[in-house]
Amino acid sequence: NEFFCAVIVENDDGIIASGLAYTRAMRQGSYNFTAAIIGNVAVKSSYRGQGLSKVVIGQLEQALAPTDVAYSFLFAYETNVYQSSGYSQLESPIRYFDTQKQNWNQFVYRGGMYKAHTSKRTLNQKVIEFGGCVY
């Protein structure tokens, strides 16, 4: 029930890029907010380097724009790919549900990134309660 939308880019070769967005309630200290988790962003290897990840992220964010999402988060192997879309390194630890171990876990994910969609309040170094799993 957290799934929000999907973006699929296709041409004559079939699907060449895709991404998903999820939304959920999160918390940092006493600050409660709605957040998006951007996940499963993928580009077919023969189409990489053409800005398709940026297109997918942009379309996901456009779909999220009318909602009350304060921040979006993503977890990347190649963080530099997402910096040009306005994402910054996430320094705060996150508390999330580990679906493989079936327990709650907390750590700073080195590929974690976030982007603010509001100027109401900025995140600090305290733990962010993700309220569920990481996609």
Side-chain angles (χ1 to χ4, degrees):
N1 62 349
E2 295 177 331
F3 175 75
F4 183 77
C5 69
V7 169
I8 297 172
V9 179
E10 58 185 335
N11 66 13
D12 293 339
D13 288 341
I15 295 174
I16 59 171
S18 62
L20 304 173
Y22 307 85
T23 59
R24 73 164 62 136
M26 293 188 188
R27 183 178 74 233
Q28 187 178 56
S30 62
Y31 175 45
N32 295 302
F33 58 94
T34 301
I37 301 173
I38 305 296
N40 305 97
V41 176
V43 176
K44 189 174 181 178
S45 59
S46 57
Y47 288 89
R48 291 184 184 149
Q50 298 179 27
L52 288 173
S53 289
K54 191 171 187 171
V55 169
V56 169
I57 295 291
Q59 290 298 305
L60 291 170
E61 289 177 347
Q62 185 175 339
L64 289 162
T67 70
D68 62 347
V69 166
Y71 297 92
S72 56
F73 297 89
L74 58 83
F75 301 90
Y77 293 112
E78 299 290 335
T79 57
N80 60 327
V81 170
Y82 302 99
Q83 290 172 342
S84 66
S85 293
Y87 284 82
S88 301
Q89 187 71 35
L90 180 63
E91 302 292 338
S92 304
I94 61 169
R95 185 170 185 270
Y96 69 100
F97 188 75
D98 187 327
T99 56
Q100 291 181 349
K101 295 181 181 178
Q102 292 295 299
N103 67 355
W104 288 92
N105 197 358
Q106 177 178 311
F107 73 99
V108 175
Y109 190 97
R110 295 295 171 213
M113 303 187 81
Y114 77 101
K115 181 177 182 177
H117 298 281
T118 181
S119 60
K120 293 180 184 176
R121 185 171 177 167
T122 58
L123 297 175
N124 55 42
Q125 297 295 313
K126 293 181 181 177
V127 173
I128 299 170
E129 296 285 342
F130 257 54
C133 67
V134 174
Y135 296 106

